[in-house]
């Protein structure tokens, strides 16, 4: 898209008080749920990110704005130097623009001279990115966690995800069940992870904090000149969660050089240097807060998040592709296979990977 002025765009911009003069509007990022646009001024510095919130996933989009506000206020008071993507207010003081015809929209300032990466990252990038995710949670340590809303209930609830998977297996049309047979068998065979999850969640030392909950590597912006990660984006799932969820999703998305939808399983590999670097980067910020229980679960949380994401993709495939954006018929099945192979490789490397981070977890 490169339209400069559609009626939709004009309405959203005027609601947020943005004067359109020489802006181009292009798709931005690779989100699977929301639609995100970059509004770039050809002549000036005012660039904006416009995001249409998918309200069938985010059923109460105002909760996103609420959590964003609570976090921004805490950070403004306690860590004023911290770069936090705070949403812009509408001219009449609201955090979201909501209309029955156009849906729910949020707007953010765009940080210039930054770049994000979809593909493989180097150990240095992994360390720097993980440090940024860790800094977010550490800087929010001390907030009243219970005041934050659960934007999507049970988002990382592996028992609920597993039940949804079992239901999808039982109800899937025959052709999809047949095509997914090996993946279903594999994920059923790994269900002990769900049991381990249950035990971990009962441990009070696995603390509830404010976490990002979608710590994919492409949710970090890097400075184009210094190469350092400068801030995290995509804060629509900022809510109470566990450090292990963030760390686990970083492990899932950082360690493999292949994207999560690469159809060739042979590409799903584990870069051990990237693993060690990201755990170190996260601990650079979070070490003082990490309990012994959490430290002991570092390798496991990678397994948990790969498993969770694998069954989420497979569930969606079996349900007829209702949740994730797909660009080809077997897209979700490819994603489920990709995570399956990554989980096998990652699990097999448990010992050497733990050896690399022994100084942090022991
Ligand atoms: C979704 O929309 P996006 O790409 O930021 C999903 C995450 C998954 C991810 C997999 C609200 O994130 O949980 O990990 O896809 N977000 C939601 O790529 O379900
Ligand atoms: Mg997201």
């Amino acid at each position: 898209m490169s339209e400069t002025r559609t009626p939709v765009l004009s309405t959203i911009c005027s609601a947020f008080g943005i004067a359109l003069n020489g802006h181009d509007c292009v798709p931005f990022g690779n989100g699977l749920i929301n639609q995100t646009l970059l509004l770039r001024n050809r002549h000036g510095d005012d660039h904006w990110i416009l995001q249409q919130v998918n309200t069938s996933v985010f059923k109460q989009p105002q909760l996103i704005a609420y959590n964003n506000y609570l976090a921004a206020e805490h950070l403004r008071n306690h860590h004023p130097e911290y770069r936090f993507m705070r949403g812009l207010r509408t001219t009449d003081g609201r955090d979201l623009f909501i209309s029955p015809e156009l849906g729910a929209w949020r707007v953010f300032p765009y940080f210039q001279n930054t770049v994000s990466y979809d593909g493989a990252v180097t150990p240095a990038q992994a360390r720097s990115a993980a440090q940024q995710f860790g800094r977010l949670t550490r800087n929010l340590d001390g907030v009243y966690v219970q005041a934050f809303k659960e934007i999507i209930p049970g988002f990382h609830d592996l028992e609920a995800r597993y039940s949804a998977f079992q239901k999808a297996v039982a109800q899937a049309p025959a052709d999809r069940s047949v095509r997914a047979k090996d993946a279903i068998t594999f994920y059923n065979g790994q269900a002990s992870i769900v049991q381990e999850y249950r035990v971990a969640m009962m441990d009070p030392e696995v603390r509830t904090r404010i976490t990002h909950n979608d710590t994919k590597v492409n949710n970090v912006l890097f400075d184009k000149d210094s190469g350092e990660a400068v801030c995290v984006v995509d804060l629509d799932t900022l809510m109470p969660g566990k450090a292990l969820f963030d760390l686990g999703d970083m492990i899932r998305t950082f360690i493999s050089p292949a994207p999560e939808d690469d159809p060739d399983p042979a590409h799903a590999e584990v870069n051990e240097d990237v693993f060690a670097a990201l755990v170190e980067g996260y601990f650079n910020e979070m070490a003082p807060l990490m309990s012994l229980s959490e430290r002991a679960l570092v390798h496991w949380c990678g397994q948990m998040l790969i498993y969770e994401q694998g069954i989420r993709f497979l569930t969606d495939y079996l349900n007829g592709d209702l949740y994730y954006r797909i660009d080809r018929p077997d897209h979700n099945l490819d994603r489920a296979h990709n995570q399956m192979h990554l989980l096998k490789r990652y699990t097999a490397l448990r010992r050497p990977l733990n050896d690399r981070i022994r100084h942090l977890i022991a």
Side-chain angles (χ1 to χ4, degrees), residues 214 216 219 234 236-237:
D214 189 13
K216 294 196 284 197
N219 280 335
D234 193 24
D236 49 23
T237 49

Side-chain angles (χ1 to χ4, degrees), residues 30-36 51 54 57-58 152 155-156 161 212-216 218-219 234 236-237 239 249 252-253 260 305 308-309 312-313 323-325 335 339:
N30 273 313
L32 298 186
I33 307 291
N34 297 321
Q35 185 197 176
T36 310
Q51 188 172 62
N54 178 336
V57 170
F58 294 96
I152 300 182
F155 193 57
H156 286 298
R161 297 287 187 196
H212 182 285
N213 293 301
D214 189 13
T215 53
K216 294 196 284 197
N218 58 11
N219 280 335
D234 193 24
D236 49 23
T237 49
M239 60 182 158
D249 213 29
R252 180 181 82 79
T253 60
E260 67 184 7
L305 267 288
E308 178 190 329
Q309 195 60 59
R312 286 180 70 191
F313 286 143
Y323 190 88
Y324 292 109
R325 194 193 70 223
R335 290 169 173 145
Q339 300 294 293

Side-chain angles (χ1 to χ4, degrees), residues 78-131:
H78 298 277
H79 303 279
E81 75 301 337
Y82 180 71
R83 243 177 156 184
F84 182 70
M85 261 236 182
R86 183 172 197 166
L88 199 69
R89 293 253 172 93
T90 59
T91 50
D92 56 359
R94 286 173 298 130
D95 292 301
L96 282 161
F97 170 81
I98 303 184
S99 100
E101 299 81 33
L102 304 182
W105 288 81
R106 300 198 301 148
V107 172
F108 304 93
Y110 174 70
F111 293 134
Q112 288 189 63
N113 205 39
T114 58
V115 61
S116 66
Y117 300 105
D118 280 314
V121 287
T122 63
Q125 288 167 334
R127 179 179 284 104
S128 184
Q131 192 159 340

Side-chain angles (χ1 to χ4, degrees), residues 269-296:
E269 277 171 22
V270 176
N271 183 324
E272 297 183 31
D273 295 335
V274 167
F275 171 84
L278 85 86
V279 176
E280 278 165 14
Y282 192 71
F283 272 72
N284 277 347
E285 294 289 334
M286 286 291 290
L289 303 182
M290 296 292 277
S291 66
L292 288 177
S293 298
E294 289 167 319
R295 286 166 196 259

